[in-house]
Amino acid sequence: MIDKKTLVVFSGDMDKVMASLIIANGAAAMGSEVTMFFTFWGLNTLRKAKKIKVKKDFMEKMFGFMMPRGPEKMGISKMNFGGIGAKMMKDMMKKKNVNSLPELIESAQMMGVKMIACTMSMDVMGIREEELIDGIELAGVASYLGEAEEGNVNLFI
Amino acid sequence: MIDKKTLVVFSGDMDKVMASLIIANGAAAMGSEVTMFFTFWGLNTLRKAKKIKVKKDFMEKMFGFMMPRGPEKMGISKMNFGGIGAKMMKDMMKKKNVNSLPELIESAQMMGVKMIACTMSMDVMGIREEELIDGIELAGVASYLGEAEEGNVNLFI
Amino acid sequence: MIDKKTLVVFSGDMDKVMASLIIANGAAAMGSEVTMFFTFWGLNTLRKAKKIKVKKDFMEKMFGFMMPRGPEKMGISKMNFGGIGAKMMKDMMKKKNVNSLPELIESAQMMGVKMIACTMSMDVMGIREEELIDGIELAGVASYLGEAEEGNVNLFI
């Protein structure tokens, strides 16, 4: 019997990315295969916090500069107020012993959640493989669809 | 044969919550089992309009104060303009005889749509059970995943 | 064996609509049946770029005027800055040989992707059939649910 979950992580908002990772970790803990496909703004989840030296043209540099480098820099989708909302939510999460985004990513990877970065989005946004954290596969929409075909729960976040 | 639909209601925007309730009501009317899992901003859908006296710390009070108390107070995801857009949309809906959000919630509950409030989000955002409308179950991500496992249509809204 | 995909396109943001069309085109190219159900802001994807003369009341005119007429006028969901972001993204896409939104719509239609405009949303927002591009079916939520029932991948975008 198939028991696979796939999540398209399109959003780059801290709260939505967190929801995707909580579902992924939960499903993996319950013994399910999980594939996360990071695309568009969701790609920022996989960026290293440190600036990596790579050759980019002007537009790519602009995009790279304006988008958050990794989950710690992300804002929330509502009431962000220039980062205050994100800070408040992180404080609340810490107080209530909810794992942070980097911790959720690490535990997902440790439990074997497959993380795929969308190559087309990387190309459009000018994000290079070297800028992503370790353990990420690169693939396109056909790969995602192949996985979703086998999934019994497929979400777009 | 399984015929279950599950909806994660993450968004707290009036228009998105309305879409989720229209799908839920439609599916229930067609004889399907439906489970709605309200999480993060979506939780506001289930809040009573009246302020309930409960003990909260400073941050919880802040969150509670800034988030809409119930569907009547929600804005729309685009062109809200401080509530004018939401008001316009409500007027348009009334004129075209589309049910309001509170009516859609009531009819969903009457048709047996299961409504679950996500306990982790309640904890992080400081929302207490007493603040929610009647007939809501409380559960975590494992419960959602158990339901989704049985669903043939699972959406994240 | 069933091999159908359904996509609810709720969003009217260029980037999200693009994601939906890339998935639709990919799935159709892989031999899958695909149904796209355009609702709320997503309806703007199907509007003709040219203003069509139809009778509307004041509120309908307002909505019609404020919403983008077709995919070329849409903004992106993040960093739009009054259209600069959308322009930048379009430039990047062109440079990287990614199809534009109108091209993606055309190829989807050529491959037989079924496009449905949600009648209830059309009614609420005051959009008339004459204002939509050719080849669009009109239907309600029950039709969508019937299609989703048969789908093995159902996404809400």
Side-chain angles (χ1 to χ4, degrees):
Chain A
M1 214 204 117
I2 309 161
D3 183 15
K4 185 185 269 198
K5 318 274 171 278
T6 74
L7 305 166
V8 177
V9 185
F10 175 95
S11 167
D13 296 318
M14 193 191 89
D15 45 348
K16 286 196 169 180
V17 171
M18 187 161 72
S20 75
L21 283 164
I22 288 169
I23 293 172
N25 274 283
M30 286 160 82
S32 188
E33 261 186 74
V34 183
T35 297
M36 302 181 84
F37 187 77
F38 293 87
T39 184
F40 281 81
W41 317 105
L43 273 179
N44 294 319
T45 316
L46 306 178
R47 286 174 87 193
K48 286 175 186 155
K50 204 168 61 111
K51 192 174 174 346
I52 304 297
K53 245 193 141 64
V54 284
K55 228 177 120 77
K56 297 197 184 195
D57 66 27
F58 177 71
M59 290 279 265
E60 290 177 335
K61 267 183 204 151
M62 283 278 285
F63 260 97
F65 175 73
M66 281 160 57
M67 294 189 304
R69 227 180 257 121
E72 289 287 31
K73 306 264 175 57
M74 287 175 170
I76 53 178
S77 64
K78 292 270 151 191
M79 315 193 318
N80 193 46
F81 306 119
I84 298 172
K87 172 87 176 60
M88 270 178 69
M89 188 163 280
K90 276 191 266 191
D91 287 349
M92 295 282 270
M93 284 165 61
K94 202 168 186 172
K95 212 170 156 183
K96 313 282 175 148
N97 293 312
V98 176
N99 284 339
S100 70
L101 240 49
E103 286 164 346
L104 287 167
I105 293 170
E106 208 188 314
S107 73
Q109 286 192 314
M110 272 175 51
M111 283 193 288
V113 169
K114 194 198 280 191
M115 297 194 176
I116 302 179
C118 167
T119 44
M120 200 204 76
S121 308
M122 287 177 67
D123 196 23
V124 168
M125 289 173 157
I127 294 177
R128 306 281 187 267
E129 193 173 352
E130 302 92 284
E131 298 179 81
L132 303 182
I133 57 171
D134 291 337
I136 307 301
E137 294 180 28
L138 306 192
V141 70
S143 284
Y144 160 68
L145 285 164
E147 302 266 355
E149 198 74 43
E150 295 173 9
N152 61 347
V153 179
N154 302 301
L155 304 175
F156 184 99
I157 296 175
Chain B
M1 213 205 118
I2 309 161
D3 184 14
K4 185 185 269 198
K5 317 275 171 275
T6 73
L7 305 165
V8 177
V9 185
F10 175 94
S11 168
D13 295 318
M14 193 192 88
D15 46 347
K16 286 197 169 181
V17 171
M18 186 161 71
S20 74
L21 283 163
I22 288 169
I23 294 172
N25 274 282
M30 288 161 82
S32 187
E33 261 187 73
V34 184
T35 297
M36 301 181 84
F37 187 76
F38 293 87
T39 184
F40 281 82
W41 317 104
L43 274 179
N44 294 317
T45 315
L46 306 178
R47 287 174 86 191
K48 285 176 186 154
K50 205 169 59 114
K51 194 177 174 341
I52 304 297
K53 249 196 135 65
V54 283
K55 228 177 119 77
K56 296 197 183 195
D57 67 26
F58 176 72
M59 292 279 264
E60 290 178 335
K61 268 185 203 149
M62 284 277 285
F63 260 98
F65 174 74
M66 281 159 59
M67 294 189 304
R69 229 182 253 119
E72 289 287 28
K73 308 264 175 55
M74 286 175 171
I76 53 178
S77 64
K78 292 269 152 190
M79 314 193 317
N80 192 45
F81 305 121
I84 298 172
K87 173 86 176 58
M88 272 178 70
M89 189 162 280
K90 275 190 266 192
D91 287 349
M92 296 283 270
M93 283 165 60
K94 202 168 188 174
K95 212 170 156 181
K96 313 282 177 152
N97 294 312
V98 176
N99 284 339
S100 70
L101 240 50
E103 287 164 346
L104 287 168
I105 292 170
E106 207 188 314
S107 75
Q109 285 191 316
M110 271 175 52
M111 283 193 288
V113 169
K114 194 196 279 189
M115 296 195 176
I116 303 179
C118 167
T119 43
M120 199 203 77
S121 307
M122 287 177 66
D123 196 24
V124 168
M125 288 172 158
I127 294 177
R128 306 280 186 267
E129 194 173 354
E130 303 92 283
E131 298 178 83
L132 303 183
I133 57 171
D134 291 337
I136 306 301
E137 294 180 29
L138 306 192
V141 70
S143 284
Y144 159 68
L145 284 165
E147 303 266 354
E149 197 74 42
E150 293 172 10
N152 61 347
V153 179
N154 303 301
L155 304 175
F156 184 100
I157 296 175
Chain C
M1 212 204 117
I2 308 161
D3 184 14
K4 185 185 270 198
K5 318 274 171 275
T6 75
L7 305 166
V8 177
V9 185
F10 175 96
S11 168
D13 296 318
M14 193 192 88
D15 45 347
K16 286 197 170 179
V17 171
M18 187 161 72
S20 75
L21 284 163
I22 288 170
I23 293 171
N25 274 282
M30 288 161 82
S32 187
E33 261 187 74
V34 183
T35 296
M36 301 181 84
F37 186 76
F38 294 87
T39 185
F40 281 81
W41 317 104
L43 274 179
N44 293 318
T45 316
L46 306 178
R47 288 174 85 192
K48 285 176 186 153
K50 205 170 60 112
K51 194 175 175 341
I52 304 297
K53 248 194 137 63
V54 285
K55 230 179 117 77
K56 297 198 184 193
D57 67 25
F58 177 71
M59 290 280 265
E60 291 177 335
K61 267 185 203 148
M62 284 276 286
F63 260 97
F65 174 75
M66 281 160 59
M67 294 189 305
R69 227 182 256 121
E72 288 288 28
K73 307 263 173 58
M74 287 174 170
I76 52 177
S77 63
K78 293 268 151 190
M79 314 193 320
N80 193 44
F81 306 121
I84 298 172
K87 173 87 177 60
M88 271 178 71
M89 189 162 280
K90 276 192 265 193
D91 287 349
M92 296 283 270
M93 283 164 61
K94 202 167 188 175
K95 213 171 157 183
K96 312 282 176 151
N97 293 311
V98 176
N99 283 340
S100 70
L101 240 49
E103 287 165 345
L104 287 168
I105 292 171
E106 207 188 313
S107 73
Q109 287 192 312
M110 272 175 52
M111 282 193 289
V113 169
K114 193 196 283 189
M115 296 194 177
I116 303 179
C118 168
T119 44
M120 199 204 77
S121 308
M122 285 177 67
D123 197 23
V124 168
M125 288 172 159
I127 294 177
R128 306 281 187 269
E129 193 173 354
E130 303 92 283
E131 298 178 84
L132 303 182
I133 57 171
D134 292 336
I136 307 302
E137 295 180 29
L138 305 192
V141 69
S143 284
Y144 160 67
L145 284 165
E147 302 267 355
E149 198 73 42
E150 293 173 9
N152 61 348
V153 179
N154 302 302
L155 304 175
F156 184 99
I157 295 174

